[in-house]
Amino acid sequence: MEALHWSTDLIVLSVLASIFIYSLLTNAIAKTIVTLPIIFMVIGYLCARPIEALAEPEILAEGKRFLAEITLVLVLFSDASHVRFRTLRRNFKTPLRMLIIGLPLTIGLGMMVAYLLNPESGLAMALLTAAVLTPTDAALGQTVVSSPDVPESLRQTINVESGLNDGLVLPFVLFGAIMASAGLEGANTDGLASSAMLQVVLGPIVGITFGWIFAKSMDAAQDYELMAEAAGGVAFLAVAFSAFIGAEIVGGNGFIAAFVAGMVFGNTYKHEIRFIGEFMEGVGQLLTMFAFLVFGALLLPDGLEHVTWEAVVLAALFLTVVRMLPIWLSLLGTGLALREKLFLGWFGPRGLASILFTLIMMDEFDFLGEQELLACVSMTVFMSIILHGVSAAPLSKWIGRVARNNASPSGSADG
């Protein structure tokens, strides 16, 4: 027992040392093609065998679910809180087109591809596979989002799209998982449709209620100088998790509630809201590190063990045609140059949301083809971490150089 305790401590110490070393070298790493997700995925993969040998499968499963839920609630609320309705109406034609037209087209095309590659799994699993692989993750292309070489309009578009699409895709993920579970032999489907509708309807209602009440309460506290500025981060946690738990209590979907609460909170709260961004820059980055550690240690090995040629082909198609064709179609008539459409289509990396959705759906529902789903998601995220991480810096410099050399900022429209 003492040896076991020491080995566990050694793993934890190694992970903490890796986080500390990464923190010391952040500026130096930012100048290379190596990214945070690549580093912590590799560290997690190296720790995979020791972790599996030291921990019980039930403990690992509970730990994965707990980390996934906390991270997803905070990411959904934080991303949604930074979206301003008035700004969207005025200036965000491009990301709105990508979300309203491109996202459903991506899910539809992805569902067709997943079904054609594995028709035995059925349409429900094809929908679930497409849904969990549709949301994008700006963390994998952080170089693009923060690069001064990339025109601001493109950076803003990528930021807004990645911030909203994980919340918008949630109903598709939920329905896909429920339908796949209902197709399991011997599954009890009584009340399944009504339960699904309640989750999708009650989740937003709870989110609107909690987001508005908490925002107004905090505004009042700020107006009367009752609230210290440093308390904003704590209040943010209370709002996000209250919406999640409140929805779960009444039968709604907690993640949808957290996303809607963030959007309502951000558009209702009239004081400075920078405390959410400051909190997520610290704690949020730490959770992101652990999420990719978990992916490398617990999901990637299982995924690689069950990988097939179909999973590799599906991953390659989802990162290219399934993503880029719908985005190109959604941007027709916007006046953007072809290079800009392709740039926006390529930088839709799959990462945190796909990992978290897969963890939670596999834990919450039973359905056939779980291992195939895990293999597809693992391979897609693995390829995305490498390809988008490596290509971010050179493509950012290229798009910036072309934009500077072009007489027109957006180039010639290609229709």
Side-chain angles (χ1 to χ4, degrees):
M1 180 63 75
E2 188 175 338
L4 177 67
H5 180 68
W6 165 246
S7 299
T8 305
D9 285 347
L10 194 59
I11 292 174
V12 173
L13 188 62
S14 300
V15 170
L16 293 175
S18 300
I19 293 173
F20 181 70
I21 293 170
Y22 172 83
S23 301
L24 293 179
L25 302 175
T26 44
N27 282 338
I29 292 171
K31 298 174 183 176
T32 70
I33 60 174
V34 180
T35 62
L36 181 152
I38 292 176
I39 293 170
F40 286 94
M41 176 187 70
V42 171
I43 293 170
Y45 190 75
L46 294 175
C47 295
R49 288 189 179 276
I51 290 174
E52 288 183 357
L54 292 173
E56 295 293 329
E58 295 80 9
I59 296 175
L60 290 177
E62 289 178 7
K64 283 191 296 185
R65 173 67 184 263
F66 183 68
L67 176 64
E69 287 190 341
I70 288 178
T71 306
L72 190 54
V73 167
L74 293 179
V75 167
L76 289 171
F77 187 97
S78 173
D79 288 347
S81 70
H82 289 95
V83 176
R84 297 293 174 268
F85 296 143
R86 279 178 291 186
T87 309
L88 275 175
R89 285 197 299 267
R90 287 198 311 268
N91 304 322
F92 283 29
K93 180 175 67 172
T94 303
L96 280 178
R97 276 173 163 262
M98 293 169 70
L99 291 166
I100 295 171
I101 302 172
L103 187 145
L105 285 177
T106 300
I107 294 176
L109 180 58
M111 182 178 172
M112 289 174 53
V113 168
Y115 182 75
L116 289 173
L117 285 173
N118 190 9
E120 296 82 9
S121 292
L123 287 172
M125 277 302 296
L127 171 60
L128 177 59
T129 303
V132 298
L133 289 177
T134 292
T136 59
D137 183 3
L140 293 183
Q142 190 59 40
T143 303
V144 175
V145 175
S146 59
S147 173
D149 292 318
V150 180
E152 185 181 355
S153 60
L154 297 183
R155 283 187 279 135
Q156 192 176 57
T157 295
I158 293 171
N159 240 337
V160 173
E161 189 218 1
S162 64
L164 286 177
N165 62 13
D166 44 5
L168 296 177
V169 84
L170 256 172
F172 296 97
V173 173
L174 184 62
F175 277 119
I178 290 172
M179 295 295 290
S181 178
L184 192 65
E185 187 175 348
N188 182 12
T189 59
D190 294 341
L192 202 58
S194 59
S195 174
M197 287 303 297
L198 278 175
Q199 288 200 51
V200 174
V201 171
L202 291 178
I205 292 174
V206 172
I208 292 169
T209 304
F210 276 72
W212 187 85
I213 290 174
F214 275 80
K216 289 297 184 182
S217 300
M218 288 177 64
D219 274 333
Q222 291 275 69
D223 288 339
Y224 290 101
E225 298 183 355
L226 301 174
M227 177 180 164
E229 187 176 350
V234 177
F236 152 58
L237 291 177
V239 184
F241 288 109
S242 293
F244 173 80
I245 295 170
E248 295 288 319
I249 289 173
V250 300
N253 185 274
F255 299 109
I256 296 176
F259 179 73
V260 174
M263 195 172 293
V264 172
F265 182 89
N267 284 276
T268 304
Y269 187 63
K270 65 183 182 181
H271 290 84
E272 190 64 52
I273 202 172
R274 65 175 181 269
F275 57 81
I276 294 181
E278 291 171 353
F279 182 90
M280 291 301 291
E281 282 178 8
V283 175
Q285 189 176 56
L286 190 62
L287 288 172
T288 300
M289 291 175 181
F290 280 112
F292 284 106
L293 272 168
V294 168
F295 172 70
L298 303 179
L299 268 73
L300 185 58
D302 284 346
L304 292 177
E305 185 179 339
H306 296 93
V307 73
T308 60
W309 70 267
E310 290 94 343
V312 176
V313 171
L314 183 139
L317 289 174
F318 264 84
L319 296 178
T320 53
V321 178
V322 173
R323 160 72 185 181
M324 297 176 76
L325 179 58
I327 294 301
W328 178 76
L329 289 172
S330 72
L331 297 178
L332 288 175
T334 59
L336 290 174
L338 177 60
R339 65 177 180 277
E340 293 172 321
K341 294 175 184 175
L342 294 177
F343 186 83
L344 291 172
W346 171 245
F347 279 108
R350 307 319 198 277
L352 201 56
S354 297
I355 296 168
L356 301 176
F357 284 152
T358 303
L359 281 173
I360 292 167
M361 292 303 116
M362 287 180 63
D363 186 66
E364 194 162 322
F365 297 94
D366 292 318
F367 41 77
L368 294 172
E370 285 190 1
Q371 297 303 330
E372 289 84 354
L373 174 65
L374 181 61
C376 290
V377 173
S378 297
M379 185 52 57
T380 306
V381 174
F382 171 72
M383 289 173 62
S384 184
I385 288 173
I386 301 299
L387 295 176
H388 288 107
V390 168
S391 65
L395 286 181
S396 295
K397 292 178 181 177
W398 169 76
I399 197 76
R401 185 171 62 251
V402 173
R404 286 191 299 271
N405 292 338
N406 203 300
S408 172
S410 60
S412 58
D414 56 51

